[in-house]
């Protein structure tokens, strides 16, 4: 699974999650979109120790 797939599913889940869970889902979507924008396409397979600012 990559960011785009996860974001797509999370956006679908937004419709069905409770109000108490919605903030966490939105936060996760924002994090994945930011990683995607930074070129990190598969965060679970990324060695973050090699990334420089």
């Amino acid at each position: 699974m990559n960011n785009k797939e996860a974001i797509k599913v999370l956006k679908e889940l937004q419709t069905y999650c409770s109000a108490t869970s919605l903030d966490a889902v939105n936060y996760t979507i924002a994090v994945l979109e930011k990683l995607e924008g930074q070129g990190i396409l598969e965060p679970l397979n990324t060695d973050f120790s090699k990334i420089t600012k």
Side-chain angles (χ1 to χ4, degrees):
M1 177 168 283
N2 60 35
N3 289 346
K4 288 183 191 248
E5 294 167 344
I7 291 167
K8 179 181 180 266
V9 171
L10 287 168
K11 285 185 176 182
E12 291 171 2
L13 283 174
Q14 281 177 318
T15 305
Y16 303 105
C17 72
S18 67
T20 56
S21 301
L22 189 57
D23 285 341
V25 172
N26 289 336
Y27 179 83
T28 306
I29 291 169
V31 168
L32 290 174
E33 288 175 337
K34 186 165 186 168
L35 288 171
E36 183 82 16
Q38 296 294 317
I40 300 169
L41 306 178
E42 295 186 17
L44 294 178
N45 297 322
T46 301
D47 183 2
F48 287 96
S49 67
K50 296 180 180 180
I51 297 175
T52 59
K53 288 186 176 184

